[in-house]
Amino acid sequence: MRKIFVVVSALSLASFALQFVFAAVGAFTRPSGDGAYALHSVTGMAVIPVLTLLTVLFAALARAPGRLVGLAARPLGLVVVQALLAALANGATDAAGASTPFGLTIAGLHAVNGIVAVHVVVNVLRGARQLARPEPDVAAPVAVREGEPA
């Protein structure tokens, strides 16, 4: 289970990294339309939550410390914050539908929250790898009686 925990954590990190690629695809798609951010939206609203739930499940099955299981669950909360920030940024437009300084600030926070989420997932992967490492064999002390060759 510990190796599966590592694999799912790595997949989760990869999906978060792809989110930045998909955001760039949306930002640079011309002409820009509703579908420009489709990959970003699907990954953020479906793939990442499923991988996060699997990470939490395998952390628990691997008998990870409670702190690590809690850390593995944190991206779910950050995804909810991401969705709220995106909705607020998209809704903060003027009468003509143009972005406002407030909306752009919120959009910036959306990016910062994404960076925080990546940091959390990196730490989950580190914890999973550490948990999966085999424990070193501890040499048992050997009793040697006097007069016997060592």
Side-chain angles (χ1 to χ4, degrees), residues 26-37:
F28 292 105
T29 296
R30 298 293 177 255
S32 180
D34 290 339
Y37 288 95

Side-chain angles (χ1 to χ4, degrees), residues 4 33 53 63 74 80 106 117 122 125 140 145:
I4 295 172
L53 288 172
R63 296 195 174 139
R74 192 164 294 163
V80 170
I106 298 302
V122 165
L125 180 56
R145 293 188 220 179

Side-chain angles (χ1 to χ4, degrees), residues 69-123:
V69 175
L71 187 65
R74 192 164 294 163
L76 279 178
L78 293 170
V79 166
V80 170
V81 171
Q82 281 295 81
L84 293 173
L85 289 170
L88 188 57
N90 288 332
T93 57
D94 62 15
S99 299
T100 63
F102 175 74
L104 294 172
T105 302
I106 298 302
L109 292 176
H110 178 82
V112 170
N113 189 59
I115 293 168
V116 169
V118 168
H119 180 72
V120 169
V121 176
V122 165
N123 284 318

